[in-house]
Amino acid sequence: AATPAAVASTRVPFTALPDGTAPRPFSAEQIRDAMPVGHRIRVRQEQDRAPTIEEEWVVTAADAQGCTIATKVFDVEGNLIRDGGTETGAWSKLREHAAFPAAATEISTGTIELPMGTFETRVYRVTMPAGDGAPAVLTLHFAVSLPGPPVLMVAERAGVQVSRMTMIERR
């Protein structure tokens, strides 16, 4: 698979929210409007010392308050490994997946090239000390035109990538 490339990046100043977190990339309403019933997202998950898998998330029910998402896990050849069942939650809870401490977060804008296209992004880089004091860095690329989960998420520990989630389809 092609490695996603960040094309450009410009840092964005922000003010911490009253709870000490950085502003979220999308509102609950933007996520709701972008993920109607039948909406499908497929991501490739690569983790250190684990086989690469693909997850498919399908919105099976939705209303003004929340949605139900069905999850299936496949190997890279497309064979079903397991049915992850369904989970129902509020749109506001989905939004909170992008809640990060403001003091540990840097936000920038840019462009990213992925196998599914080129996107204008808002990039969140969150740096936290790990248990051994080595820095743990989580970098999330949110496509401005695709409210919801990041199109790319990379976790690093002590400067070494330990996991990568790349969105490979969204319709």
Side-chain angles (χ1 to χ4, degrees):
T3 301
V7 176
S9 183
T10 303
R11 192 164 178 175
V12 176
F14 67 87
T15 301
L17 299 175
D19 66 357
T21 60
R24 312 302 184 266
F26 306 109
S27 69
E29 294 77 19
Q30 288 172 311
I31 297 168
R32 179 197 65 212
D33 293 348
M35 295 178 58
V37 172
H39 193 72
R40 179 179 121 144
I41 297 172
R42 195 166 178 115
V43 297
R44 177 171 293 120
Q45 302 267 9
E46 301 166 88
Q47 295 197 3
D48 195 27
R49 294 180 230 123
T52 297
I53 59 168
E54 292 182 3
E55 287 188 1
E56 179 182 81
W57 308 324
V58 178
V59 178
T60 59
D63 61 22
Q65 285 72 45
C67 70
T68 300
I69 297 176
T71 300
K72 290 186 178 175
V73 180
F74 300 88
D75 64 21
V76 292
E77 284 80 37
N79 301 305
L80 181 66
I81 296 172
R82 74 177 171 280
D83 185 329
T86 62
E87 187 171 332
T88 300
W91 296 113
S92 60
K93 289 287 186 191
L94 286 177
R95 178 178 179 264
E96 291 310 303
H97 288 170
F100 305 108
T105 304
E106 182 178 300
I107 302 174
S108 59
T109 61
T111 304
I112 190 168
E113 294 177 11
L114 296 169
M116 64 181 228
T118 300
F119 300 93
E120 296 301 313
T121 59
R122 192 161 282 248
V123 182
Y124 282 59
R125 183 175 170 89
V126 184
T127 304
M128 304 285 284
D132 60 3
V137 179
L138 184 63
T139 305
L140 305 99
H141 299 256
F142 294 94
V144 174
S145 63
L146 298 172
V151 294
L152 177 66
M153 180 172 66
V154 177
E156 297 172 296
R157 180 127 188 234
V160 176
Q161 180 180 298
V162 294
S163 70
R164 173 185 294 266
M165 180 191 82
T166 307
M167 191 177 293
I168 56 176
E169 183 179 5
R170 183 159 175 183
R171 57 183 175 94

